[in-house]
Structure formats: structure tokens, C-alpha cells
Amino acid sequence: CSKHHLIPDLNGTHQKLWEVTTTGHIYLTDYFELRAEYRHDDSNVPVFFRGFRPAETQDTISGEMIFKF
């Protein structure tokens, strides 16, 4: 699954902000699922931080283990 959004400016910074997210999942049983997600955020203005330095992009990777009952 993959999605892309163009996000309107709501915080007063004039910018073009967008993100794309890709999610993969595996059902191991009827009650157990694994998910992995990658997200990329981008702006034409440095509104993100890499350490203590401003950056125009941000990448996030996450994982989930889901137990259904």
C-alpha cells in the first residue's frame, strides 16, 4: 500500500509540503500480523531537523507487531 499527500500550510510557514508513505504487512496467522512502514516528508523550506540542523526532508521507518483477540 502506498499513498501521497500534498499538505496545506497551517502553521504560518509559506511552504510546499508533501509526504509519501509505503506500508507492507504479512499475516502470519489469523491473530498475528507484522507491518513495516516507510515515510518520506519533503518541504521547500527547512522545517524538519536532522540532529540540531534544519533540513528540508525527513525519513521515518517503523515496525509493528499486531496481536488480534
Side-chain angles (χ1 to χ4, degrees):
C1 176
S2 185
K3 60 185 176 179
H4 175 269
H5 291 105
L6 181 60
I7 303 166
D9 177 24
L10 298 177
N11 67 359
T13 302
H14 297 286
Q15 62 181 313
K16 292 180 182 174
L17 182 64
W18 63 273
E19 66 90 20
V20 63
T21 303
T22 300
T23 305
H25 60 95
I26 299 171
Y27 294 101
L28 297 176
T29 70
D30 290 340
Y31 303 102
F32 185 62
E33 178 183 357
L34 296 176
R35 287 188 190 171
E37 182 172 282
Y38 167 75
R39 176 178 166 146
H40 175 80
D41 298 296
D42 201 297
S43 175
N44 64 329
V45 178
V47 293
F48 305 106
F49 286 92
R50 193 165 289 122
F52 293 102
R53 297 183 325 184
E56 293 181 357
T57 63
Q58 172 178 277
D59 296 297
T60 306
I61 298 173
S62 64
E64 299 176 9
M65 295 187 328
I66 301 168
F67 296 95
K68 302 173 187 179
F69 56 94

